[in-house]
Amino acid sequence: MKALTKLPADAGICLKPEHFDDIPSKVDGHLWFEVHAENYLMQGGPRLEKLQDIAQRFPLSIHGVGASLGGPKPVNSEHLKRLASLVNSVPSAAFSEHIAWSGTDSNYMANLMPTPITSESLVRTASNIEQLQDAIQRPILIENPANYLTFKTDMSESEFMMSLVSKTGCGILLDVNNLFISANNTGIDPVKYIRDLDRTVIGEIHVAGHSVDPIEKDLLIDSHDSEVASGVWALLNDALSHIGSCPVLIERDANLPSFEVLLAERNIARNLILQNNKVAGYE
């Protein structure tokens, strides 16, 4: 199998079709993009052709949201075939998926449901990760969830993630926004969580905006509909001080601003990467 990621240790942007024609010809550093796999599982067409062209000019990460790796059943075989077709048709530097479940049998939900952090679930989730890795013939990165409730567990979530890495050879996509939300909603220690992870298996970091639940005012929602919050930037800086140089992605899925606004946020992340590099003596 290939290396965990070939993304540059720079900041990237979650790319939407609305911005396909807004990408400047020159930017600072090594800009890269990430797209949601499920938006490109068609056979041909102008959207896929445009993505293929962009992937020839910029490093690309493919991020899945529908494999249901933490679900009660094996990954849907037809979904695996379509993911493999996408990976084979679009040059990509990394592939990632959520540790969550989103359906069972023929029933699918438009949400990423929580995966039980249990020994039984660990075995099943590891098997599903191996299914996906075998289908696309590369190791994947698995993303930590945003948690809204506290459940009974057999181990900590960070232990669960590291056990999956050990069993399958996958890597970790550390979503700092998800971790910030989980810390607020369930009281976990985000700094300890980060330091419980082996920094050598973290292949990518996500940051995004979140919102306050309109009813439960103490609850944060992983909405991806606003700018990155100051607390998330601070936690990203702490994560980079532990992990070292790492690709960082700006996620935005709703209330989409102009590409220039996203590029400005990307440059904040880029500066944090560079600052931590200097502190560590890389520059």
Side-chain angles (χ1 to χ4, degrees), residues 15-24 50 53-54 57 259:
L15 183 64
K16 303 298 183 184
E18 292 91 331
H19 290 149
F20 277 173
D21 297 324
D22 298 330
I23 302 171
K50 187 65 175 180
D53 174 66
I54 291 170
R57 297 184 286 123
F259 189 85

Side-chain angles (χ1 to χ4, degrees), residues 104 116 121 151 230-231 252:
T104 178
S121 176
F151 297 96
S230 58
R252 188 69 171 261

Side-chain angles (χ1 to χ4, degrees), residues 176-222:
V176 170
N177 185 58
N178 285 358
L179 185 55
F180 184 88
I181 288 170
S182 296
N184 177 85
N185 295 345
T186 67
I188 65 171
D189 182 343
V191 174
K192 183 180 184 303
Y193 188 113
I194 293 170
R195 279 154 178 74
D196 284 344
L197 300 176
D198 180 349
R199 61 185 180 181
T200 66
V201 302
I202 300 174
E204 186 179 332
I205 296 174
H206 279 185
V207 291
H210 54 257
S211 57
V212 177
D213 185 86
I215 299 175
E216 299 291 338
K217 300 298 184 180
D218 293 332
L219 194 71
L220 296 182
I221 305 297
D222 184 32

Side-chain angles (χ1 to χ4, degrees), residues 126-143:
S127 177
N128 286 345
I129 291 172
E130 288 175 336
Q131 268 190 284
L132 178 51
Q133 292 184 147
D134 288 344
I136 66 173
Q137 282 299 291
R138 65 171 69 183
I140 68 169
L141 304 174
I142 54 173
E143 178 181 338

Side-chain angles (χ1 to χ4, degrees), residues 23-32 58 259 263 266-267:
I23 302 171
S25 58
K26 186 177 181 180
V27 295
D28 292 334
H30 301 283
L31 177 62
W32 57 278
F58 297 91
F259 189 85
L263 192 60
R266 176 259 178 182
N267 288 336

Side-chain angles (χ1 to χ4, degrees), residues 12 35-36 44 47-49 54 60 85 102 107 139 145 176 182 187 192 197 199 206 217-218 223 240 252 276-277 282:
V35 296
H36 288 169
R47 178 185 289 189
L48 184 60
E49 290 176 1
I54 291 170
L60 182 73
S85 177
S102 53
N107 299 311
V176 170
S182 296
K192 183 180 184 303
L197 300 176
R199 61 185 180 181
H206 279 185
K217 300 298 184 180
D218 293 332
S223 52
L240 288 170
R252 188 69 171 261
N276 277 279
N277 284 351
Y282 297 143

